[in-house]
Amino acid sequence: MQKLAVLTSGGDSPGMNAAVRAAVRRAAYHGVQMYGVYHGYEGLMNGDIQEMSLGSVGDIIQRGGTILYSARSQEFKTEAGQQKAVEQLRTFGIEGLIVIGGDGSFRGAQKLTEKGFPTVGVPGTIDNDIPCTDFTIGFDTALNTIVDAIDKIRDTATSHERTYIIEVMGRDAGDLALWAGLAAGAESIIIPEEPQDMNDILERLHAGQRRGKKHSIIIVAEGCGSASSYAEAITKATGWETRVTVLGHIQRGGSPTAMDRMLASRMGAAAVDLLLEGKKDRMVGIKNNVIVDVDFKEALAQKHQLDLSIYQLARTLSI
Ligand code: F6P
């Protein structure tokens, strides 16, 4: 292969730029030309494709977001859209495509491989909800953003002796809520992977109060519903003053942590290597700190497994 391309798709995540940089520079190391596809699959169908140089990815390793932009495309979900995308890639003489994104983006990549075009996926999402990898690019940065926010909320929660319910992203996965809940010492963590019991939440709050706790922090994963509905239920049951914070898209931005830059650099380079080895229809992952690659079909057939031992640990530490 002499010409490869890279695109970012779906919700952006901190570290995507570091992955693009790694892909461009690893390709250059192998003497291969890398093209950047702008605006995800939408741009791919429209031929929004430009040759990238070593310099074009300079000064981006530390930047959040994605210099290639991202989009969610309805047209690309159609047969005609996918055909258009393959034709554009062939027009540019591109022989392999790296897709940095989440599971929806990977399903798109799979469609291109089915049409005879080699693709490799790099997991980039703050949600950490991709099977067959311990971590996705952006999770660590989002986690640190959340923990920093909770620490700040804790200050005012203590001053006013209030109960705070903080809603975090994650789509259907509870990883961000769970890890942030443990790292920030939340009283309760509400995640989709575990059944919710309001009596248990209330009992934990009362136990804390009996011990003289001045505040309580409850983390709710967005997949479990809105933080305000939990706040209303708690106020109704206890008569206590509650406050709600929905962290929102602040979780998606910011300079990637060193861990995310490392992960992105390793994964971006591995994706290039895979394509040059003639491998396709695979995603890059990390397992026990070793970079691995897995068949798309096998990966997407599985459900992401959250580490429930962390949930149990959090429960034992926040008594
Ligand atoms: O997948 C990343 C994510 O930030 C989810 O956590 C969230 O549910 C969703 O994207 C939000 O999407 P949008 O940016 O389109 O509102």
Side-chain angles (χ1 to χ4, degrees):
M1 286 184 180
Q2 284 308 306
K3 289 183 182 179
L4 301 178
V6 57
L7 65 77
T8 51
S9 164
D12 63 350
S13 67
M16 278 184 164
N17 281 329
V20 171
R21 171 184 177 272
V24 172
R25 299 232 165 136
R26 185 66 164 190
Y29 168 79
H30 287 300
V32 169
Q33 183 60 54
M34 183 63 78
Y35 286 73
V37 180
Y38 290 80
H39 307 285
Y41 288 120
E42 198 66 30
L44 181 57
M45 290 180 299
N46 297 329
D48 197 354
I49 299 171
Q50 279 173 39
E51 203 173 315
M52 300 192 88
S53 64
L54 286 178
S56 66
V57 291
D59 200 23
I60 67 167
I61 195 168
Q62 80 286 11
R63 280 168 58 187
T66 161
I67 60 159
L68 294 179
Y69 300 95
S70 193
R72 302 191 202 272
S73 171
Q74 285 310 316
E75 190 189 349
F76 184 72
K77 290 187 179 151
T78 66
E79 184 71 24
Q82 292 153 16
Q83 200 51 49
K84 219 162 125 184
V86 172
E87 279 158 23
Q88 288 287 6
L89 287 162
R90 297 230 159 99
T91 305
F92 279 82
I94 294 162
E95 299 152 284
L97 175 68
I98 296 167
V99 172
I100 305 170
D103 55 350
S105 308
F106 286 180
R107 282 179 221 286
Q110 237 190 326
K111 291 288 177 195
L112 296 180
T113 309
E114 279 167 20
K115 292 193 161 33
F117 196 88
T119 61
V120 164
V122 171
T125 164
I126 63 165
D127 299 338
N128 208 41
D129 61 347
I130 310 285
C132 302
T133 185
D134 291 341
F135 296 107
T136 59
I137 298 166
F139 173 69
D140 186 61
T141 307
L143 176 63
N144 278 283
T145 300
I146 297 168
V147 169
D148 182 51
I150 299 172
D151 289 349
K152 290 184 168 120
I153 290 168
R154 184 187 285 280
D155 290 344
T156 177
T158 308
S159 307
H160 290 267
E161 302 185 46
R162 281 173 178 157
T163 297
Y164 265 83
I165 297 93
I166 302 168
E167 183 182 314
V168 304
M169 279 187 170
R171 208 178 287 275
D172 302 320
D175 293 55
L176 280 173
L178 178 58
W179 285 60
L182 177 62
E187 272 66 38
S188 282
I189 304 169
I190 303 173
I191 53 172
E193 292 84 353
E194 274 292 292
Q196 298 321 315
D197 178 356
M198 190 43 89
N199 289 332
D200 177 66
I201 294 169
L202 292 171
E203 179 40 44
R204 296 176 77 79
L205 286 174
H206 285 302
Q209 203 197 36
R210 283 195 294 274
R211 263 200 321 111
K213 273 196 181 178
K214 294 288 177 224
H215 62 266
S216 296
I217 303 277
I218 297 174
I219 311 293
V220 184
E222 64 175 349
C224 289
S226 77
S228 19
S229 59
Y230 287 94
E232 269 167 39
I234 290 167
T235 302
K236 200 167 160 209
T238 60
W240 299 349
E241 200 176 8
T242 54
R243 288 289 186 275
V244 168
T245 301
V246 180
L247 291 179
H249 285 80
I250 194 173
Q251 297 163 93
R252 285 242 296 265
S255 178
T257 59
M259 289 303 283
D260 270 330
R261 297 181 200 192
M262 289 285 294
L263 185 63
S265 300
R266 294 173 76 186
M267 286 183 162
V272 170
D273 292 353
L274 282 177
L275 283 169
L276 296 183
E277 282 162 23
K279 294 190 184 164
K280 57 187 177 188
D281 209 16
R282 300 183 80 72
M283 63 161 267
V284 179
I286 189 160
K287 282 274 170 196
N288 302 318
N289 203 23
V290 175
I291 295 290
V292 296
D293 56 281
V294 190
D295 185 76
F296 266 147
K297 209 175 284 159
E298 189 192 323
L300 296 174
Q302 291 181 38
K303 204 174 152 8
H304 161 68
Q305 297 297 330
L306 169 139
D307 185 352
L308 279 176
S309 70
I310 297 175
Y311 184 78
Q312 298 308 336
L313 176 62
R315 281 180 69 79
T316 63
L317 299 185
S318 64
I319 41 176

